[in-house]
Amino acid sequence: MTQTALIRPAWTPATIALMVLGFMVFWPLGLAMLAYIIWGDRLEAFKADVNRATDDFTGAFRKKSGNGMRASSGNAAFDDWRDTELSRLDEERKKLDEMRSEFDQHMRDLRMARDRTEFEQFMADRQASQSKAKKGRSVPEIDG
């Protein structure tokens, strides 16, 4: 969304005037304009979320049912080809999902190794600074 638009979700003279006018004409219009000013910048994300949820909901009806039956196109050769292609794509999706999980595990292992080396370096530096502090004392400690 461009920031040069006359009516945008911000406190501009135009939006304030429309809000006041909306309250004067019919209070829900003013309230709607106020909501747009305050939360209007989130509308794109909200719209994307609603579209995604709707697509997921309607996609559930289009997917293969539990018994393996699909709506027939009327052409047996096409239906067979479609089923084999969809099976192949499902296998590819499974392979990609497995590779993704392996990569995620690899990245977790790398982070853990990096964290471990950083922690060990911190502890070594800390121990070195503590031993320097002990050596730098003018009065030796007496072990009893």
Side-chain angles (χ1 to χ4, degrees):
M1 183 175 289
T2 63
Q3 295 299 318
T4 60
L6 183 62
I7 300 173
R8 63 180 186 268
W11 293 100
T12 63
T15 55
I16 293 170
L18 284 173
M19 180 184 63
V20 170
L21 185 65
F23 276 117
M24 290 170 47
V25 172
F26 184 58
W27 70 267
L29 292 176
L31 195 62
M33 192 63 199
L34 178 63
Y36 176 72
I37 291 170
I38 295 172
W39 296 299
D41 55 341
R42 298 182 189 141
L43 286 177
E44 291 298 321
F46 175 73
K47 184 175 128 182
D49 290 342
V50 168
N51 285 341
R52 191 176 313 108
T54 304
D55 291 344
D56 291 345
F57 179 74
T58 57
F61 292 109
R62 292 186 189 127
K63 285 188 177 178
K64 192 179 197 179
S65 63
N67 61 3
M69 298 298 292
R70 289 192 194 276
S72 175
S73 67
N75 186 320
F78 173 76
D79 290 341
D80 290 341
W81 173 82
R82 180 188 60 193
D83 291 340
T84 57
E85 286 297 308
L86 288 174
S87 297
R88 183 184 63 78
L89 290 173
D90 285 340
E91 288 299 317
E92 289 294 319
R93 170 60 65 191
K94 287 177 186 175
K95 288 178 187 176
L96 286 173
D97 289 341
E98 289 173 9
M99 287 172 35
R100 174 66 188 249
S101 65
E102 289 173 6
F103 179 72
D104 288 343
Q105 182 61 42
H106 175 71
M107 292 304 294
R108 279 192 296 273
D109 293 343
L110 285 177
R111 274 193 293 290
M112 181 63 82
R114 186 193 69 216
D115 290 348
R116 187 175 300 118
T117 58
E118 288 174 357
F119 177 72
E120 289 170 356
Q121 180 65 39
F122 166 75
M123 292 303 287
D125 292 345
R126 184 171 177 258
Q127 189 172 8
S129 67
Q130 285 179 349
S131 65
K132 274 186 181 179
K134 284 182 181 180
K135 288 180 183 177
R137 292 183 183 163
S138 60
V139 178
E141 289 185 25
I142 301 174
D143 293 327

